[in-house]
Amino acid sequence: MPSLTVENYLKAILQIGLRESAEWVSAGQVAQALGVSPGTVTSMHKTLGEADLVVYRPYEGVCLTEAGQMLGMRVLRRHRLIEQFLVETLGLSWDQVHEEAEHMEHAVSDDLVERIDEFLGRPRFDPHGDPIPTATGTWPETVESATTLASCPPGSTVRVVRVTDQGAEFLQFLTHNGVALGVEGRVVSNNATAGTVMLEIDGAAVSLGGQEAAQLMVDRL
């Protein structure tokens, strides 16, 4: 069974590659994601390469092999299903489940994860709108129409479908201001120079910084 550290690295490499739409991921990117030094990452990249879980190239980074991709997807599947389970069955809020799932994802078996998936009705998305990989390592069928709130011009009517920053503080801010998955609103203003976006939800204005607005994925209606 892969160690907790190996699973964390493979999941991080997978998520960075997905976020950046990149095949190769640098040591610096992984170091930032995991909060460790680049030297530590380079050492682990070599170890993962020796285990045929990544292809490692000095000064370029790593690319997941088929085996590394499958293992990374398994960990990500566990994480997102656990998050959904905690929200649906235990009533935890979306800002509470990420850290819990970080610990639990390494302790549950694939058999238990399959039972959780079946119990929940095989959900396609987790509480933050992230797609949940299938047991065979594929993604659920989705319509790729979402864009960032930061890219929407004033006057746009939008529906929130995903939040890519899952830090508790940011999610609590969104909840306090009535922003949640499925909520619809209107872009009142979008000032790229000032780096601010004003969103109106049910008559109330929500002011977001440019970076915050970039973490909200929306469908334009």
Side-chain angles (χ1 to χ4, degrees):
M1 177 180 291
S3 70
L4 180 152
T5 301
V6 167
E7 290 189 339
N8 280 339
Y9 269 82
L10 293 176
K11 186 180 71 169
I13 294 167
L14 174 64
Q15 289 182 294
I16 294 167
L18 291 171
R19 185 184 69 231
E20 303 295 334
S21 299
E23 183 179 7
W24 289 86
V25 174
S26 71
Q29 289 173 307
V30 177
Q32 183 176 19
L34 296 178
V36 297
S37 71
T40 298
V41 172
T42 297
S43 178
M44 177 54 71
H45 280 179
K46 293 177 181 178
T47 299
L48 295 174
E50 292 168 358
D52 293 325
L53 294 172
V54 303
V55 176
Y56 168 68
R57 292 179 183 171
Y59 309 109
E60 185 171 359
V62 292
C63 171
L64 291 171
T65 63
E66 183 176 351
Q69 174 92 4
M70 282 298 297
L71 183 51
M73 291 278 273
R74 280 172 55 196
V75 181
L76 194 60
R77 169 177 164 80
R78 284 185 230 146
H79 182 98
R80 293 178 176 176
L81 277 171
I82 289 169
E83 287 187 330
Q84 190 66 21
F85 179 80
L86 293 174
V87 167
E88 283 198 27
T89 64
L90 299 185
L92 272 67
S93 60
W94 67 343
D95 59 272
Q96 295 176 308
V97 295
H98 179 72
E99 287 303 319
E100 294 293 342
E102 282 289 306
H103 299 294
M104 295 175 66
E105 68 190 29
H106 305 291
V108 296
S109 67
D110 288 337
D111 287 341
L112 179 56
V113 169
E114 176 60 23
R115 293 291 296 273
I116 290 173
D117 191 23
E118 183 180 6
F119 176 80
L120 294 175
R122 306 209 180 277
R124 296 166 61 207
F125 302 96
D126 73 5
H128 310 105
D130 289 326
I132 299 173
T134 67
T136 57
T138 60
W139 295 105
E141 292 185 11
T142 59
V143 178
E144 296 295 334
S145 60
T147 186
T148 66
L149 178 63
S151 67
C152 295
S156 301
T157 300
V158 300
R159 178 188 297 117
V160 179
V161 297
R162 187 177 186 183
V163 181
T164 57
D165 179 352
Q166 294 166 14
E169 186 176 350
F170 181 56
L171 293 174
Q172 289 165 5
F173 164 80
L174 294 179
T175 300
H176 178 74
N177 286 279
V179 181
L181 297 189
V183 165
E184 296 180 8
R186 183 176 66 88
V187 179
V188 178
S189 64
N190 188 342
N191 190 325
T193 302
T196 59
V197 176
M198 185 71 71
L199 182 66
E200 183 183 84
I201 298 175
D202 292 332
V206 182
S207 180
L208 297 146
Q211 290 186 338
E212 294 172 331
Q215 306 303 319
L216 288 179
M217 303 300 295
V218 300
D219 281 338
R220 293 183 62 182
L221 305 177

